[in-house]
Amino acid sequence: MDKLQGIDSHIVIIGCGMSGIGAAQKLTKEGFKNIKIIEATGRSGGRIKTTTFGNVIVEIGANWIHGPSKANPVFQLACEHGLLDAQAMSEENQALDVGGHPSFQSFYSSSGNKLTPELTESVSQLFLTLLGKSKEFILTEKEPYPSVGEFLKKEIAKHVVEWKDDVEWKDDAETKKLKLALLTMMLKLECCVSGTHSMDLVGLGAFGGYKTLPGLDCTFPEGYEGLIDAMMKGLPEGIVSYNNPVKCVHWNGSFRGANSPEQTFPVMVECENGETVPANHVIVTVPLGYLKEHYETLINPPLPLSKVHSIQRMGFGTNNKIFLEFEEPFWEPDCEVINLIWEDETPLADVKPDVNQFWMKKIFGFTVLQPPERYGHVLCGWIAGHESEYMETLSDTEVKNSMTEVIRKFTGNPSITPKRILRSKWHSDPYTKGCYSYVAVGCSGSDIENIVQPLPLQEADTKPLQVLFAGEATHQSFYSTTHGALLSGWREADRLITHYTQCPLISQNLSSKL
Ligand SMILES: Cc1cc2nc3c(=O)[nH]c(=O)nc-3n(C[C@H](O)[C@H](O)[C@H](O)COP(=O)(O)OP(=O)(O)OC[C@H]3O[C@@H](n4cnc5c(N)ncnc54)[C@H](O)[C@@H]3O)c2cc1C
Ligand SMILES: *[C@@H]1O[C@H](CO)[C@@H](O)[C@H](O)[C@H]1NC(C)=O
């Protein structure tokens, strides 16, 4: 085929995160000439955000390439741009398949003790087995409980009964209590993984729809944003309009361009600052959290109900990081994760936590930024849900004081004091409103399909593909990740490319038949 039709069509991409950049990259490569990215904030990258903390760099948003191996396009790009270290790129690292789950490591309890590996290993095994089981319901028609949380708790309750009779375990009441406390911590970790307040909100039937890729998760030594910078260099200069929040996407219309009054466009993007940008196609990549809050005014005529319902049903919660820097480490040199076990907690009790008073109890633990030669002595605390959202409303000093208290309690060392603190506040970020999506109770993969459907839904007698939808939350099996975001941007770019390449092909076929 010679020159691509539609090369002159005007395409607006809303949002300059991984998905928007991915779409622009593919369309540019294909030769499309009139592409514009409109971004609300003053930067590219969205939820990929690297910043400095004292003398080191830390990730406020995405940290790992989940499943860094050949099938992961983020890994591929990172390799091409030379952004990973040798170990991350090694065949051995790519072949490791740990099912995408972080390892459990150093366990501190609220009475200032460290838990023994005998105890923690068997409980970790049990939890991982149950978690694996909860992913199997994607294959069956029926799920025994609506949520992952309920399923896990019912299974745990079954095991607790067995603990009594198991001579091997020789459980006294104290050990049993610790085991339940450990399982509670693991549920909190799982809340961070899914970006949800509670695993009771995550749909059991669809949980297994999320797919992991082989490869031991790796990080970017110079920061994730290096990948964004490298990708931006491949785009035409001036393609992005920054600090320009979009107010409304008007579609199903006939809008005239300022520079080409003879030409009409089906879509017009209206910005908060009054600017209007006519377009043939608009790719919306705003986060699901933003869409949940603004879908009524962001799209006009309003979204069809099928899309609205799926946007409302899909889950989008909060997961935040709290970075703490120390003069000296209180952990062992090779330690990667410090888990916090509150001894009085059990997943089987049906208590409603006091979020404001005990928010810090929701932190499952800290990851240690490794290696110390690069990062110094920095811990990253992880906290999800309403407690995480409440934490955002506190001052740095309040958070630092609470963290100091917790660490002193768990280590039994009354003099440990963090030097410095930095945290993410993804829920209060007006253009994100949380961290990433999950498939909530009552949702299925068809909700993601609904959200993806371009407008107009029926192509009958209007111009096709006026408004398209990309972004992390629109990927069937890799939602919540950077590679899911990238693939979703490529998918929508491909939809337009296919649209324009197929038109002439159809007429060719017709003429050959005639
Ligand atoms: C704390 C945290 C940790 C994470 N960890 C990982 C990880 O380790 N590995 C991983 O793979 N993924 C991780 N993720 C997820 C990953 O960051 C995202 O899935 C991915 O970056 C999303 O890309 P996106 O393009 O879909 O959305 P975004 O990056 O959010 O881009 C959307 C853009 O739209 C803009 N926008 C919003 N509203 C408007 C408007 N009205 N007008 C114009 N622009 C607008 C936003 O400013 C933003 O720049 C993490 C996310 C968070 C928050
Ligand atoms: C689009 O415009 C046509 C013609 O004006 C109208 O009949 C139709 O209802 C509109 N569609 C939507 C979704 O508003």
Side-chain angles (χ1 to χ4, degrees):
M1 204 193 91
D2 29 43
K3 208 172 156 224
L4 182 69
Q5 279 206 357
I7 221 160
D8 296 317
S9 62
H10 291 236
I11 302 172
V12 172
I13 298 167
I14 303 176
C16 196
M18 184 51 104
S19 59
I21 298 168
Q25 187 189 44
K26 195 145 229 185
L27 290 167
T28 312
K29 237 181 231 156
E30 204 66 33
F32 284 86
K33 290 189 305 211
N34 296 308
I35 305 167
K36 188 167 186 167
I37 304 179
I38 305 183
E39 167 57 46
T41 69
R43 54 180 288 277
S44 311
R47 281 169 277 174
I48 294 175
K49 188 175 185 179
T50 309
T51 190
T52 52
F53 179 50
N55 301 323
V56 304
I57 53 154
V58 291
E59 306 288 359
I60 295 294
N63 189 51
W64 293 281
I65 301 180
H66 290 307
S69 51
K70 298 271 175 320
N72 186 327
V74 168
F75 174 71
Q76 290 289 13
L77 280 177
C79 290
E80 276 168 36
H81 292 291
L83 300 172
L84 302 178
D85 61 26
Q87 199 209 330
M89 290 192 291
S90 69
E91 293 294 331
E92 302 83 72
N93 198 83
Q94 292 182 50
L96 275 171
D97 200 347
V98 291
H101 211 278
S103 62
F104 301 117
Q105 281 212 350
S106 215
F107 300 82
Y108 289 77
S109 84
S110 49
S111 59
N113 293 310
K114 283 188 91 176
L115 304 189
T116 63
E118 294 84 71
L119 185 75
T120 58
E121 269 160 33
S122 58
V123 179
S124 304
Q125 264 320 312
L126 170 65
F127 189 78
L128 291 178
T129 306
L130 296 182
L131 198 65
K133 271 196 187 174
S134 64
K135 292 186 174 146
E136 285 166 10
F137 296 101
I138 189 86
L139 305 168
T140 60
E141 290 280 283
K142 256 176 81 96
E143 57 219 51
Y145 304 100
S147 73
V148 175
E150 285 158 280
F151 171 73
L152 290 175
K153 285 186 276 187
K154 286 289 183 321
E155 290 290 312
I156 289 168
K158 279 189 215 162
H159 281 266
V160 172
V161 178
E162 286 165 25
W163 287 349
K164 275 191 198 140
D165 314 322
D166 191 336
V167 279
E168 234 182 289
W169 284 64
K170 291 198 195 67
D171 277 338
D172 49 49
E174 201 51 37
T175 327
K176 193 164 144 186
K177 204 175 132 195
L178 278 180
K179 284 186 188 171
L180 287 168
L182 261 167
L183 289 164
T184 314
M185 178 280 291
M186 289 166 192
L187 280 167
K188 293 177 201 170
L189 183 158
E190 222 46 55
C191 287
C192 289
V193 173
S194 283
T196 183
H197 173 62
S198 160
M199 290 311 283
D200 294 1
L201 302 175
V202 180
L204 182 59
F207 192 50
Y210 176 83
K211 296 278 174 286
T212 58
L213 295 168
L216 187 65
D217 291 2
C218 67
T219 57
F220 290 76
E222 308 294 331
Y224 227 122
E225 233 179 275
L227 178 59
I228 296 292
D229 295 343
M231 290 172 80
M232 290 305 294
K233 286 206 184 92
L235 296 181
E237 195 110 356
I239 192 175
V240 190
S241 166
Y242 290 106
N243 297 306
N244 195 4
V246 168
K247 185 177 179 188
C248 183
V249 178
H250 302 271
W251 60 288
N252 196 37
S254 182
F255 304 98
R256 274 172 207 291
N259 306 327
S260 49
E262 330 70 59
Q263 207 182 347
T264 62
F265 298 88
V267 196
M268 190 201 44
V269 176
E270 180 194 353
C271 301
E272 292 281 0
N273 66 9
E275 186 190 344
T276 55
V277 186
N280 300 96
H281 312 281
V282 172
I283 305 179
V284 177
T285 80
V286 302
L288 179 63
Y290 182 89
L291 203 52
K292 276 177 179 284
E293 215 160 271
H294 297 281
Y295 69 84
E296 278 175 303
T297 51
L298 186 68
I299 313 280
N300 177 44
L303 291 173
L305 279 180
S306 60
K307 276 177 101 73
V308 168
H309 288 154
S310 292
I311 287 169
Q312 290 171 332
R313 265 198 298 266
M314 276 289 287
F316 196 83
T318 305
N319 174 26
N320 273 310
K321 310 182 187 183
I322 306 173
F323 293 100
L324 299 169
E325 192 189 6
F326 297 85
E327 207 70 65
E328 290 297 326
F330 61 84
W331 52 93
E332 271 113 63
D334 59 344
C335 175
E336 285 178 20
V337 191
I338 295 170
N339 292 107
L340 304 179
I341 318 298
W342 294 84
E343 290 183 5
D344 57 345
E345 290 184 338
T346 160
L348 304 181
D350 207 14
V351 285
K352 218 174 175 298
D354 182 339
V355 167
N356 296 12
Q357 197 182 351
F358 295 120
W359 65 268
M360 68 299 285
K361 293 180 81 174
K362 191 67 172 281
I363 298 173
F364 81 78
F366 301 94
T367 47
V368 183
L369 270 56
Q370 291 279 18
E373 306 84 68
R374 183 179 297 142
Y375 293 107
H377 311 301
V378 178
L379 297 183
C380 173
W382 296 83
I383 181 165
H386 301 156
E387 290 85 351
S388 188
E389 290 160 17
Y390 177 71
M391 181 275 293
E392 292 186 21
T393 68
L394 301 173
S395 71
D396 275 358
T397 311
E398 284 171 299
V399 175
K400 187 166 169 250
N401 289 346
S402 292
M403 290 300 91
T404 308
E405 224 177 282
V406 167
I407 290 168
R408 290 179 178 180
K409 184 178 172 69
F410 279 74
T411 54
N413 179 341
S415 61
I416 298 177
T417 312
K419 269 204 312 195
R420 214 194 301 263
I421 179 170
L422 177 75
R423 63 216 154 104
S424 61
K425 296 181 182 173
W426 286 107
H427 182 70
S428 358
D429 184 318
Y431 299 109
T432 315
K433 302 303 292 177
C435 64
Y436 33 75
S437 60
Y438 63 92
V439 183
V441 168
C443 274
S444 68
S446 62
D447 285 304
I448 300 178
E449 261 167 51
N450 283 341
I451 296 177
V452 170
Q453 282 303 307
L455 299 175
L457 291 184
Q458 271 91 31
E459 292 193 5
D461 37 32
T462 43
K463 296 198 171 144
L465 306 183
Q466 294 177 31
V467 188
L468 303 93
F469 296 85
E472 155 274 303
T474 70
H475 197 281
Q476 277 287 347
S477 48
F478 298 141
Y479 53 85
S480 81
T481 66
T482 57
H483 52 286
L486 178 58
L487 287 168
S488 76
W490 285 356
R491 178 193 68 218
E492 294 312 312
D494 274 333
R495 199 190 296 278
L496 289 173
I497 294 162
T498 310
H499 169 68
Y500 284 112
T501 42
Q502 270 180 357
C503 301
L505 280 181
I506 289 166
S507 52
Q508 254 175 25
N509 285 349
L510 276 179
S511 54
S512 64
K513 271 188 198 135
L514 286 174

